[in-house]
Amino acid sequence: MGSVDTAASTRSPEGRGPALLEEAIGYALRALEDVAPAALCRPTPCRGWDLETLLRHTGESLAALLEAVDTGRVRLVPRPEAGPEEGKDPVAVFREGAERLLGAWTEAAGPVTVGGSALCADLVAGTGAIEIAVHGWDVAQAAGRPRPVPPALAGALLELAPMLVSGATRHGLFAPPVPVPGTAGAGERLLAYLGRDPAGRPG
């Protein structure tokens, strides 16, 4: 799970974070359906990453979100045992981590300490929702089964994205924004803000 803008620590996403995280997880799980082992070597919209690398990265993010619920803090360097096990099916790791998170955040009240900074639980859950949703889209694109981010979810995440992904935190996490037509929908604008070309091909 990437860093967030600590200046936003006092600005809550109005209690929507856990609900948005649940929606994002559900979307990502649907995007994961029918991903065959042969697809793991396919390129993804994340430059330089194949689908297996993307799934392992997202598995680490899911583990970090679960750690936040369990301990009230997130390590910037994941625990060795928190990441996906070497040799284990990354699709299974992703699915197991996602299913463990479903419902886990309903009891999270915060604050959550991330790298020494205390953030409200809503903000951490909102950050997780953005990352899981966009990577769910990446998975679907790489698997050759495009699945748009649901409009309502995309619209809510688009409201949060500028607060959580700023010029100070974007580097190393997301590519620069991509221009889109003024007629673009919420899903397209969310993807473009997070450095994806909604009409582009993986790789």
Side-chain angles (χ1 to χ4, degrees), residues 128-169:
I130 289 175
E131 182 170 8
I132 299 305
V134 74
H135 285 328
W137 182 84
D138 292 335
V139 168
Q141 290 290 107
R145 298 176 179 271
R147 183 183 289 270
V149 180
L153 174 61
L157 296 180
L158 190 58
E159 291 181 25
L160 296 181
M163 178 172 68
L164 301 175
V165 183
S166 68
T169 61

Side-chain angles (χ1 to χ4, degrees), residues 106-199:
T106 57
E107 302 299 325
V112 176
T113 301
V114 181
S117 298
L119 307 178
C120 69
D122 284 339
L123 196 70
V124 177
T127 302
I130 289 175
E131 182 170 8
I132 299 305
V134 74
H135 285 328
W137 182 84
D138 292 335
V139 168
Q141 290 290 107
R145 298 176 179 271
R147 183 183 289 270
V149 180
L153 174 61
L157 296 180
L158 190 58
E159 291 181 25
L160 296 181
M163 178 172 68
L164 301 175
V165 183
S166 68
T169 61
R170 177 181 293 272
H171 180 70
L173 299 175
F174 298 101
V178 174
V180 290
T183 56
E188 294 171 308
R189 287 184 284 129
L190 174 67
L191 294 167
Y193 184 78
L194 299 175
R196 271 76 172 164
D197 180 357

Side-chain angles (χ1 to χ4, degrees), residues 55-160:
L55 289 172
R56 293 194 182 282
H57 162 78
T58 311
E60 291 177 353
S61 296
L62 292 168
L65 288 165
L66 195 61
E67 180 184 15
V69 174
D70 290 342
T71 69
R73 65 192 180 103
V74 177
R75 300 167 186 258
L76 293 182
V77 178
R79 295 170 296 168
E81 66 273 21
E85 299 175 23
E86 280 298 324
K88 190 169 184 179
D89 177 12
V91 174
V93 171
F94 186 110
R95 184 174 288 114
E96 289 167 9
E99 290 174 350
R100 288 179 65 197
L101 265 182
L102 285 173
W105 273 81
T106 57
E107 302 299 325
V112 176
T113 301
V114 181
S117 298
L119 307 178
C120 69
D122 284 339
L123 196 70
V124 177
T127 302
I130 289 175
E131 182 170 8
I132 299 305
V134 74
H135 285 328
W137 182 84
D138 292 335
V139 168
Q141 290 290 107
R145 298 176 179 271
R147 183 183 289 270
V149 180
L153 174 61
L157 296 180
L158 190 58
E159 291 181 25
L160 296 181

Side-chain angles (χ1 to χ4, degrees), residues 45-64:
C46 299
R47 188 182 299 275
W49 282 13
D50 61 16
L51 183 53
E52 179 173 2
T53 303
L54 173 65
L55 289 172
R56 293 194 182 282
H57 162 78
T58 311
E60 291 177 353
S61 296
L62 292 168

